Amino acid sequence: MPTPADTIATLQRLGAHNYQPLDVVLTRGEGVWLWDVEGNKYLDCLSAYSAVNQGHCHPRILQAMTEQAQRLTLTSRAFRNDQLALLYEELAELTGSAKILPMNSGAEAVESGVKAARKWGYEERGIPESEAEVIVCEDNFHGRTISIVSFSTDPMARNGFGPFTPGFRVVPFGDIDALRAAINPKTAAFLVEPIQGEAGVNIPPPGYFRQVREVCTERGVTLILDEIQTGLGRTGRLLAEEHEGIEADMTLVGKALSGGFYPVSAVLSNENVLGVLKPGEHGSTFGGNPLAAAVARTALRVLIDEGMIENSAALGAYFLGRLREIRSDKVKEARGRGLMLAIELEADAGPAKAVVLALKDRGVLAKDTHGSTIRISPPLVITRDQVDWAVEQIEHALA
Ligand SMILES: *Cc1c(COP(=O)(O)O)cnc(C)c1O
Protein backbone atom coordinates (compact mmCIF):
# COMPACT_ATOMS: atom_id res chain seq x y z
CA MET A 1 0.00 0.00 0.00
CA PRO A 2 1.48 3.38 -0.93
CA THR A 3 1.56 5.86 1.97
CA PRO A 4 -0.21 9.21 1.52
CA ALA A 5 3.24 10.75 1.06
CA ASP A 6 4.00 8.27 -1.78
CA THR A 7 0.71 9.11 -3.48
CA ILE A 8 1.33 12.84 -3.19
CA ALA A 9 4.87 12.41 -4.55
CA THR A 10 3.52 10.50 -7.58
CA LEU A 11 0.85 13.13 -8.19
CA GLN A 12 3.50 15.85 -8.07
CA ARG A 13 5.92 13.97 -10.30
CA LEU A 14 3.54 12.88 -13.05
CA GLY A 15 0.72 15.41 -12.97
CA ALA A 16 0.58 18.89 -14.46
CA HIS A 17 0.82 21.30 -11.55
CA ASN A 18 -2.29 23.29 -12.47
CA TYR A 19 -3.74 22.85 -8.96
CA GLN A 20 -2.26 23.22 -5.50
CA PRO A 21 -4.50 20.89 -3.48
CA LEU A 22 -4.52 20.42 0.28
CA ASP A 23 -2.40 17.40 1.10
CA VAL A 24 -5.21 15.06 2.00
CA VAL A 25 -5.67 11.84 0.02
CA LEU A 26 -9.37 11.01 -0.02
CA THR A 27 -10.72 7.56 -0.72
CA ARG A 28 -14.39 7.46 0.31
CA GLY A 29 -17.39 9.74 0.66
CA GLU A 30 -20.91 9.47 2.04
CA GLY A 31 -23.34 12.36 2.43
CA VAL A 32 -21.46 15.31 3.94
CA TRP A 33 -18.50 13.13 5.00
CA LEU A 34 -15.20 12.26 3.37
CA TRP A 35 -12.53 9.81 4.56
CA ASP A 36 -8.82 9.86 3.75
CA VAL A 37 -6.69 6.77 3.16
CA GLU A 38 -5.66 6.70 6.83
CA GLY A 39 -9.28 6.61 7.98
CA ASN A 40 -9.55 10.26 9.11
CA LYS A 41 -13.04 11.66 8.66
CA TYR A 42 -13.81 15.15 7.33
CA LEU A 43 -16.89 17.30 6.91
CA ASP A 44 -16.87 18.43 3.28
CA CYS A 45 -17.40 22.21 3.14
CA LEU A 46 -16.55 22.57 -0.55
CA SER A 47 -18.78 19.94 -2.19
CA ALA A 48 -16.44 19.82 -5.20
CA TYR A 49 -17.24 23.47 -5.93
CA SER A 50 -20.97 22.71 -5.53
CA ALA A 51 -21.00 19.66 -7.80
CA VAL A 52 -22.06 17.34 -4.98
CA ASN A 53 -25.02 19.31 -3.60
CA GLN A 54 -26.86 15.99 -3.13
CA GLY A 55 -24.08 14.61 -0.88
CA HIS A 56 -21.35 12.13 -1.78
CA CYS A 57 -22.36 8.85 -3.43
CA HIS A 58 -26.08 9.44 -3.06
CA PRO A 59 -27.63 5.94 -3.13
CA ARG A 60 -30.46 6.79 -5.56
CA ILE A 61 -28.14 8.44 -8.07
CA LEU A 62 -25.69 5.56 -7.66
CA GLN A 63 -28.47 3.10 -8.44
CA ALA A 64 -29.61 5.05 -11.53
CA MET A 65 -26.02 5.20 -12.73
CA THR A 66 -25.24 1.50 -12.27
CA GLU A 67 -28.56 0.40 -13.81
CA GLN A 68 -28.13 2.62 -16.84
CA ALA A 69 -24.43 1.71 -17.17
CA GLN A 70 -25.43 -1.93 -17.55
CA ARG A 71 -27.96 -1.14 -20.26
CA LEU A 72 -26.60 1.60 -22.54
CA THR A 73 -23.99 4.31 -22.02
CA LEU A 74 -23.30 6.07 -25.30
CA THR A 75 -24.80 6.16 -28.76
CA SER A 76 -23.70 9.64 -29.84
CA ARG A 77 -26.37 12.01 -31.08
CA ALA A 78 -26.21 10.39 -34.51
CA PHE A 79 -28.99 8.18 -33.10
CA ARG A 80 -31.69 8.87 -30.56
CA ASN A 81 -31.71 7.33 -27.09
CA ASP A 82 -34.61 6.69 -24.76
CA GLN A 83 -33.18 8.57 -21.73
CA LEU A 84 -32.60 12.08 -23.06
CA ALA A 85 -36.28 12.91 -23.57
CA LEU A 86 -36.92 12.05 -19.93
CA LEU A 87 -34.18 14.48 -18.81
CA TYR A 88 -35.56 17.18 -21.13
CA GLU A 89 -39.04 16.77 -19.64
CA GLU A 90 -37.72 16.97 -16.10
CA LEU A 91 -35.64 20.08 -16.82
CA ALA A 92 -38.41 21.78 -18.78
CA GLU A 93 -40.93 21.14 -16.06
CA LEU A 94 -38.68 22.30 -13.23
CA THR A 95 -37.24 25.39 -14.91
CA GLY A 96 -39.85 26.39 -17.50
CA SER A 97 -37.28 26.10 -20.30
CA ALA A 98 -38.51 25.74 -23.87
CA LYS A 99 -35.28 24.46 -25.47
CA ILE A 100 -32.41 22.50 -23.96
CA LEU A 101 -28.89 21.73 -25.15
CA PRO A 102 -27.06 18.99 -23.23
CA MET A 103 -23.26 19.25 -22.87
CA ASN A 104 -20.69 17.85 -20.44
CA SER A 105 -18.53 20.35 -18.58
CA GLY A 106 -19.55 23.76 -17.36
CA ALA A 107 -17.11 25.47 -19.70
CA GLU A 108 -18.78 23.74 -22.65
CA ALA A 109 -22.17 25.04 -21.55
CA VAL A 110 -20.70 28.57 -21.40
CA GLU A 111 -19.10 28.22 -24.85
CA SER A 112 -22.36 26.84 -26.24
CA GLY A 113 -24.41 29.66 -24.73
CA VAL A 114 -22.09 32.29 -26.18
CA LYS A 115 -22.15 30.61 -29.60
CA ALA A 116 -25.95 30.51 -29.68
CA ALA A 117 -26.23 34.09 -28.45
CA ARG A 118 -23.86 35.34 -31.17
CA LYS A 119 -25.78 33.54 -33.90
CA TRP A 120 -29.06 34.84 -32.52
CA GLY A 121 -27.55 38.35 -32.62
CA TYR A 122 -26.74 38.01 -36.32
CA GLU A 123 -29.97 36.32 -37.38
CA GLU A 124 -32.54 37.99 -35.18
CA ARG A 125 -30.99 41.34 -34.34
CA GLY A 126 -29.16 42.04 -37.58
CA ILE A 127 -25.77 42.59 -35.96
CA PRO A 128 -23.16 42.75 -38.78
CA GLU A 129 -21.41 39.39 -39.28
CA SER A 130 -18.50 38.72 -36.87
CA GLU A 131 -19.07 41.92 -34.90
CA ALA A 132 -21.27 40.69 -32.06
CA GLU A 133 -20.23 41.65 -28.53
CA VAL A 134 -20.91 39.86 -25.27
CA ILE A 135 -20.75 41.86 -22.06
CA VAL A 136 -19.30 40.12 -18.99
CA CYS A 137 -18.41 41.21 -15.44
CA GLU A 138 -15.16 41.99 -13.68
CA ASP A 139 -13.93 39.11 -11.51
CA ASN A 140 -16.10 36.66 -13.44
CA PHE A 141 -15.43 32.94 -13.46
CA HIS A 142 -16.92 30.96 -16.32
CA GLY A 143 -14.31 28.24 -16.93
CA ARG A 144 -10.93 27.67 -18.54
CA THR A 145 -11.18 27.45 -22.33
CA ILE A 146 -9.30 29.94 -24.52
CA SER A 147 -12.45 31.95 -25.27
CA ILE A 148 -13.55 31.98 -21.65
CA VAL A 149 -10.17 33.09 -20.30
CA SER A 150 -10.21 35.72 -23.05
CA PHE A 151 -12.80 37.60 -21.00
CA SER A 152 -11.45 36.77 -17.54
CA THR A 153 -10.04 39.70 -15.55
CA ASP A 154 -7.83 37.40 -13.45
CA PRO A 155 -4.20 37.67 -14.67
CA MET A 156 -3.49 34.10 -13.44
CA ALA A 157 -6.24 32.74 -15.68
CA ARG A 158 -5.02 34.71 -18.74
CA ASN A 159 -1.32 35.40 -18.67
CA GLY A 160 0.58 33.39 -21.25
CA PHE A 161 -2.50 32.00 -22.97
CA GLY A 162 -3.11 34.56 -25.70
CA PRO A 163 -3.94 35.40 -28.44
CA PHE A 164 -7.43 35.86 -27.09
CA THR A 165 -10.89 35.62 -28.61
CA PRO A 166 -12.26 39.09 -29.43
CA GLY A 167 -15.83 40.27 -28.92
CA PHE A 168 -16.09 40.70 -25.16
CA ARG A 169 -16.54 43.81 -23.06
CA VAL A 170 -16.13 43.95 -19.27
CA VAL A 171 -18.24 45.95 -16.80
CA PRO A 172 -18.15 46.02 -12.97
CA PHE A 173 -20.39 43.42 -11.29
CA GLY A 174 -23.48 44.85 -9.61
CA ASP A 175 -23.31 48.19 -11.46
CA ILE A 176 -26.44 48.66 -13.56
CA ASP A 177 -25.35 52.04 -14.97
CA ALA A 178 -22.12 50.51 -16.27
CA LEU A 179 -24.13 47.78 -18.00
CA ARG A 180 -26.48 50.34 -19.54
CA ALA A 181 -23.52 52.39 -20.81
CA ALA A 182 -21.76 49.35 -22.30
CA ILE A 183 -24.71 48.19 -24.40
CA ASN A 184 -24.49 49.24 -28.05
CA PRO A 185 -26.04 48.07 -31.32
CA LYS A 186 -23.53 45.19 -31.51
CA THR A 187 -24.33 43.81 -28.06
CA ALA A 188 -25.75 40.30 -28.41
CA ALA A 189 -25.69 39.14 -24.79
CA PHE A 190 -24.86 39.83 -21.17
CA LEU A 191 -23.24 36.83 -19.47
CA VAL A 192 -23.18 36.96 -15.66
CA GLU A 193 -23.15 34.84 -12.49
CA PRO A 194 -26.06 35.53 -10.07
CA ILE A 195 -23.49 35.40 -7.25
CA GLN A 196 -19.79 35.39 -8.12
CA GLY A 197 -18.56 32.14 -6.57
CA GLU A 198 -14.87 31.86 -7.43
CA ALA A 199 -14.40 35.59 -6.80
CA GLY A 200 -15.34 34.94 -3.15
CA VAL A 201 -19.15 34.76 -2.97
CA ASN A 202 -19.82 38.31 -4.20
CA ILE A 203 -23.49 39.16 -3.83
CA PRO A 204 -24.75 42.08 -5.95
CA PRO A 205 -26.93 44.86 -4.48
CA PRO A 206 -30.61 43.92 -4.00
CA GLY A 207 -32.65 44.67 -7.10
CA TYR A 208 -29.64 44.49 -9.45
CA PHE A 209 -30.92 41.49 -11.36
CA ARG A 210 -34.43 42.91 -11.70
CA GLN A 211 -32.83 45.96 -13.32
CA VAL A 212 -30.54 43.76 -15.44
CA ARG A 213 -33.61 41.91 -16.72
CA GLU A 214 -35.35 45.20 -17.55
CA VAL A 215 -32.34 46.67 -19.35
CA CYS A 216 -31.72 43.48 -21.36
CA THR A 217 -35.37 43.27 -22.40
CA GLU A 218 -35.50 46.96 -23.30
CA ARG A 219 -32.34 46.82 -25.42
CA GLY A 220 -32.91 43.38 -26.97
CA VAL A 221 -29.90 41.81 -25.27
CA THR A 222 -29.90 38.07 -24.43
CA LEU A 223 -29.47 37.61 -20.69
CA ILE A 224 -27.32 34.54 -20.00
CA LEU A 225 -27.14 33.54 -16.34
CA ASP A 226 -24.28 31.22 -15.44
CA GLU A 227 -25.91 29.14 -12.69
CA ILE A 228 -23.35 26.36 -12.92
CA GLN A 229 -22.39 27.02 -9.29
CA THR A 230 -25.40 28.96 -7.90
CA GLY A 231 -28.00 26.66 -9.45
CA LEU A 232 -29.67 23.46 -8.30
CA GLY A 233 -30.39 24.42 -4.72
CA ARG A 234 -27.07 25.92 -3.67
CA THR A 235 -28.53 29.34 -2.77
CA GLY A 236 -31.77 28.01 -1.26
CA ARG A 237 -33.76 28.10 -4.51
CA LEU A 238 -33.64 25.75 -7.49
CA LEU A 239 -32.09 28.62 -9.48
CA ALA A 240 -30.64 31.77 -7.93
CA GLU A 241 -32.58 33.92 -10.44
CA GLU A 242 -35.71 33.11 -8.41
CA HIS A 243 -34.48 35.33 -5.55
CA GLU A 244 -35.31 38.35 -7.69
CA GLY A 245 -38.22 36.77 -9.52
CA ILE A 246 -36.63 37.03 -12.95
CA GLU A 247 -36.10 34.65 -15.85
CA ALA A 248 -32.95 34.61 -17.94
CA ASP A 249 -33.14 34.02 -21.69
CA MET A 250 -30.52 31.33 -21.27
CA THR A 251 -29.48 29.60 -18.05
CA LEU A 252 -26.33 27.52 -17.81
CA VAL A 253 -26.30 24.58 -15.40
CA GLY A 254 -23.66 21.95 -14.69
CA LYS A 255 -21.82 20.73 -11.61
CA ALA A 256 -24.64 19.39 -9.34
CA LEU A 257 -26.70 18.44 -12.41
CA SER A 258 -25.13 15.00 -11.96
CA GLY A 259 -24.74 15.05 -8.18
CA GLY A 260 -21.02 14.69 -8.75
CA PHE A 261 -21.15 11.34 -10.52
CA TYR A 262 -20.34 12.37 -14.02
CA PRO A 263 -19.80 15.61 -15.99
CA VAL A 264 -23.21 16.79 -17.19
CA SER A 265 -24.09 20.36 -18.15
CA ALA A 266 -26.86 22.03 -20.10
CA VAL A 267 -27.94 25.25 -21.72
CA LEU A 268 -31.57 26.00 -20.80
CA SER A 269 -33.15 28.50 -23.14
CA ASN A 270 -36.29 30.25 -24.19
CA GLU A 271 -37.68 29.24 -27.59
CA ASN A 272 -35.70 31.84 -29.54
CA VAL A 273 -32.03 31.73 -28.72
CA LEU A 274 -31.25 28.01 -28.92
CA GLY A 275 -33.80 27.93 -31.71
CA VAL A 276 -31.15 29.39 -34.06
CA LEU A 277 -29.02 26.22 -33.95
CA LYS A 278 -29.48 24.00 -37.01
CA PRO A 279 -28.26 20.42 -37.60
CA GLY A 280 -24.49 20.28 -37.94
CA GLU A 281 -23.79 23.66 -36.37
CA HIS A 282 -22.93 22.45 -32.89
CA GLY A 283 -22.46 19.18 -31.03
CA SER A 284 -20.67 16.96 -28.58
CA THR A 285 -19.94 13.23 -28.75
CA PHE A 286 -20.83 12.66 -25.10
CA GLY A 287 -23.42 15.44 -24.69
CA GLY A 288 -26.88 14.05 -23.97
CA ASN A 289 -25.73 10.44 -23.68
CA PRO A 290 -28.11 8.01 -21.96
CA LEU A 291 -25.89 7.51 -18.92
CA ALA A 292 -25.60 11.27 -18.37
CA ALA A 293 -29.34 11.71 -18.90
CA ALA A 294 -30.30 8.99 -16.41
CA VAL A 295 -27.86 10.28 -13.80
CA ALA A 296 -28.91 13.93 -14.22
CA ARG A 297 -32.62 13.16 -14.12
CA THR A 298 -32.19 11.27 -10.88
CA ALA A 299 -29.89 13.95 -9.42
CA LEU A 300 -32.66 16.51 -10.06
CA ARG A 301 -35.38 14.26 -8.60
CA VAL A 302 -33.32 13.69 -5.47
CA LEU A 303 -32.91 17.45 -4.91
CA ILE A 304 -36.67 17.93 -5.07
CA ASP A 305 -37.94 14.73 -3.44
CA GLU A 306 -35.61 14.94 -0.47
CA GLY A 307 -36.26 18.61 0.32
CA MET A 308 -32.64 19.61 -0.24
CA ILE A 309 -33.48 23.05 -1.61
CA GLU A 310 -35.57 23.90 1.46
CA ASN A 311 -32.79 22.54 3.66
CA SER A 312 -30.29 24.76 1.86
CA ALA A 313 -32.46 27.83 2.56
CA ALA A 314 -33.14 26.98 6.21
CA LEU A 315 -29.71 25.70 7.23
CA GLY A 316 -27.95 28.31 5.10
CA ALA A 317 -29.69 31.06 7.06
CA TYR A 318 -28.89 29.27 10.32
CA PHE A 319 -25.22 28.69 9.35
CA LEU A 320 -24.79 32.34 8.31
CA GLY A 321 -26.33 33.50 11.57
CA ARG A 322 -23.92 31.30 13.53
CA LEU A 323 -20.93 32.53 11.48
CA ARG A 324 -21.94 36.14 12.17
CA GLU A 325 -21.96 35.41 15.90
CA ILE A 326 -18.30 34.38 15.86
CA ARG A 327 -16.33 36.90 17.88
CA SER A 328 -12.89 37.15 16.26
CA ASP A 329 -10.98 40.25 15.27
CA LYS A 330 -9.70 38.25 12.30
CA VAL A 331 -13.14 38.18 10.65
CA LYS A 332 -14.18 41.11 8.48
CA GLU A 333 -17.46 39.66 7.27
CA ALA A 334 -19.49 36.49 6.91
CA ARG A 335 -21.81 36.49 3.92
CA GLY A 336 -23.78 34.17 1.70
CA ARG A 337 -27.12 32.98 0.45
CA GLY A 338 -28.46 29.51 1.15
CA LEU A 339 -25.49 27.22 1.66
CA MET A 340 -23.20 29.32 -0.55
CA LEU A 341 -21.25 30.95 2.28
CA ALA A 342 -17.95 32.73 2.83
CA ILE A 343 -15.92 34.24 5.62
CA GLU A 344 -13.74 37.16 4.62
CA LEU A 345 -10.75 37.82 6.86
CA GLU A 346 -9.36 41.23 7.79
CA ALA A 347 -6.38 42.33 5.70
CA ASP A 348 -4.01 41.91 8.67
CA ALA A 349 -5.42 38.54 9.78
CA GLY A 350 -2.86 36.50 7.83
CA PRO A 351 -3.63 34.20 4.88
CA ALA A 352 -6.93 32.36 4.69
CA LYS A 353 -4.89 29.29 3.73
CA ALA A 354 -3.62 29.08 7.33
CA VAL A 355 -7.20 28.88 8.61
CA VAL A 356 -8.03 26.29 5.96
CA LEU A 357 -5.07 24.14 7.11
CA ALA A 358 -6.17 24.48 10.75
CA LEU A 359 -9.68 23.44 9.70
CA LYS A 360 -8.32 20.37 7.95
CA ASP A 361 -6.56 19.33 11.16
CA ARG A 362 -9.91 19.67 12.94
CA GLY A 363 -11.76 17.58 10.33
CA VAL A 364 -13.30 20.25 8.09
CA LEU A 365 -12.34 20.59 4.41
CA ALA A 366 -12.88 24.09 3.01
CA LYS A 367 -11.18 26.19 0.36
CA ASP A 368 -9.57 29.61 0.51
CA THR A 369 -9.89 31.96 -2.43
CA HIS A 370 -8.14 35.22 -3.31
CA GLY A 371 -5.93 35.11 -0.23
CA SER A 372 -8.40 36.37 2.36
CA THR A 373 -11.70 34.53 1.84
CA ILE A 374 -12.77 31.06 2.98
CA ARG A 375 -15.64 29.56 1.07
CA ILE A 376 -18.04 27.29 2.91
CA SER A 377 -20.45 25.28 0.79
CA PRO A 378 -21.32 21.92 2.31
CA PRO A 379 -23.60 19.39 0.61
CA LEU A 380 -27.25 20.47 0.93
CA VAL A 381 -28.01 17.45 3.16
CA ILE A 382 -26.13 18.95 6.11
CA THR A 383 -27.97 18.86 9.46
CA ARG A 384 -28.23 21.45 12.23
CA ASP A 385 -25.94 19.43 14.52
CA GLN A 386 -23.35 19.21 11.77
CA VAL A 387 -23.55 22.99 11.24
CA ASP A 388 -23.06 23.53 14.98
CA TRP A 389 -20.06 21.21 14.95
CA ALA A 390 -18.57 22.98 11.89
CA VAL A 391 -18.99 26.41 13.51
CA GLU A 392 -17.17 25.13 16.60
CA GLN A 393 -14.24 23.98 14.44
CA ILE A 394 -14.21 27.30 12.55
CA GLU A 395 -14.08 29.20 15.88
CA HIS A 396 -11.11 27.10 17.01
CA ALA A 397 -9.32 27.41 13.67
CA LEU A 398 -9.64 31.19 13.78
CA ALA A 399 -8.32 31.35 17.37
C1 LIG B 1 -17.24 25.69 -12.22
C2 LIG B 1 -17.82 26.79 -13.00
C3 LIG B 1 -17.73 26.83 -14.41
C4 LIG B 1 -16.93 25.83 -15.20
O1 LIG B 1 -17.34 24.53 -15.03
P1 LIG B 1 -16.35 23.31 -15.45
O2 LIG B 1 -17.22 22.10 -15.32
O3 LIG B 1 -15.22 23.34 -14.47
O4 LIG B 1 -15.90 23.58 -16.84
C5 LIG B 1 -18.36 27.86 -15.07
N1 LIG B 1 -19.04 28.80 -14.41
C6 LIG B 1 -19.14 28.81 -13.06
C7 LIG B 1 -19.91 29.89 -12.40
C8 LIG B 1 -18.52 27.82 -12.31
O5 LIG B 1 -18.58 27.84 -10.98
Side-chain angles (χ1 to χ4, degrees), residues 133-199:
E133 288 182 2
V134 174
I135 301 174
V136 299
C137 286
E138 269 170 22
D139 298 325
N140 69 71
F141 182 85
H142 297 286
R144 299 294 196 168
T145 64
I146 298 265
S147 287
I148 293 171
V149 302
S150 294
F151 58 80
S152 171
T153 60
D154 178 359
M156 287 255 273
R158 285 170 58 88
N159 287 355
F161 300 120
F164 296 114
T165 305
F168 299 97
R169 187 181 282 259
V170 182
V171 298
F173 182 62
D175 182 340
I176 192 70
D177 294 327
L179 174 64
R180 252 192 216 107
I183 293 175
N184 66 66
K186 295 178 181 175
T187 307
F190 178 43
L191 166 65
V192 59
E193 300 154 85
I195 294 173
Q196 291 186 323
E198 296 314 296

Side-chain angles (χ1 to χ4, degrees), residues 49 105-108 110 141-143 193 198 226 228-229 255:
Y49 300 95
S105 68
E108 284 175 302
V110 174
F141 182 85
H142 297 286
E193 300 154 85
E198 296 314 296
D226 180 346
I228 291 165
Q229 190 162 149
K255 292 201 165 113

